[in-house]
Amino acid sequence: MNQSAVALVSLVTAFAVSAFSTWWLSRSPALLSDMVDLPNKRSLHAGAVARTGGIAICTALAVACLLALVAFPLPIPWAWIGAALLLVGWVSFLDDREEVKAGYRLASHLGAGILLLAGGISWSLVDLPGIYWAMPNALSWFLTLIYLVWMVNLYNFMDGMDGFAGGMTVFGFGALALMGWQGGDMGFALANGVVVAAAGGFLLQNFPPARIFLGDLGSATLGLLAAILSLIGTRRGLFPLWVAWLAFSPFIVDATWTLLHRLVRGERIWQAHRSHHYQRLVLAGWSHRKTVLWSYLLMAACAATAVAARGMGAHDQWLLILAWGIIYILIGFKTRLAERSGGITAS
């Protein structure tokens, strides 16, 4: 089979395996009865929901990647990538079954980062429009660890509403896949494409009202993959890192802003909360469906402009960054207005 046929089979398989596995797991509550998401202070749902979606997505990714090996070579640091994913995935799976202490989870995230650094995956260049600076090794390693750990955790933080994390996966990884295809790197494009396909199959049962959640296994794996593939794409010259950040900015901006806001207010950032913009909108009276559909519009716009940014000059790229900064400020104001009209005091 040629590469195009193998790619198509891999994508269809990823979607089909994810869709079937998600459907089956959502209707088999007794299978993994300890992997159930019960409402807590952070939750927006009212009843118990299975958090086994990560099993479906990881299974779909594994099967699709094995099929892809028929025509596509393994990436050079494949062993390090696999070990990092297994480490984070296993600890996250245990956390879904019975809560793992935060220190152990963080240790697994740092351990995955060290494995990836050993495999040569790092953030080594500051590459903003018209600005290029190769970082010293020590700074590069430090920032790489921070970036990897943050992406893993922010995906978990933002996975708090039906269809939300699945949608970000489709649009964010979809943008990376398209940029890989435009750059002639079909292996990179397919790697991101199978993530999109697996997330699409999962969304069939996760779109509001959700019958199943990703769980820590799903969110942590997707967050780590977002970090890994964005760094690999940058090192292959497919796009600068800031473009990948723009594609995932609906998650990156919200999670980072909320963390900094809570730190300034002196809150205990490790405790459950409902301070993210999407949570505040739902609490202000927006339905899950309305909130997620408007979020999809934002995600699609970010993905489209990220892809378009590759062909812009430095001046236009800075204007694009400025425009998105203004848009996110306006989103913050809109969220506050929604809270006030809903009779809720902004936190």
Side-chain angles (χ1 to χ4, degrees), residues 5 22 42 68 80 124 130 141 144 148 151 154 161 187 189 191 220 232-234 272 319 343:
T22 305
R42 178 176 178 254
W80 302 103
S124 58
W141 298 336
T144 299
L148 290 165
M151 287 300 289
L154 78 83
M161 182 174 65
I232 290 177
T234 299
L319 288 178

Side-chain angles (χ1 to χ4, degrees), residues 319-332:
L319 288 178
L320 178 64
I321 293 171
L322 175 62
W324 273 111
I326 294 172
I327 289 170
Y328 279 116
I329 290 172
L330 292 175
I331 289 173

Side-chain angles (χ1 to χ4, degrees), residues 194-250:
V194 295
V195 179
V196 172
F202 166 73
L203 276 173
L204 295 179
Q205 302 297 324
N206 181 246
F207 192 78
R211 297 180 61 94
I212 191 170
F213 292 157
L214 278 174
D216 284 351
L217 172 59
S219 61
T221 299
L222 291 174
L224 184 57
L225 281 172
I228 291 172
L229 290 170
S230 63
L231 290 174
I232 290 177
T234 299
R235 292 184 68 86
R236 293 186 177 182
L238 297 172
F239 46 79
L241 188 56
W242 72 267
V243 169
W245 290 352
L246 175 56
F248 286 95
S249 61

Side-chain angles (χ1 to χ4, degrees), residues 111-127:
I114 292 170
L115 287 170
L116 292 168
L117 282 171
I121 297 175
S122 65
W123 174 15
S124 58
L125 178 69
V126 174
D127 187 3

Side-chain angles (χ1 to χ4, degrees), residues 141 146 150 193 254 262 267 275 315 319 327 335 339-340:
W141 298 336
I146 295 296
W150 182 229
D254 190 335
R262 297 186 72 215
E267 298 179 19
S275 304
H315 179 264
L319 288 178
I327 289 170
T335 303
E339 289 177 320
R340 289 176 179 172

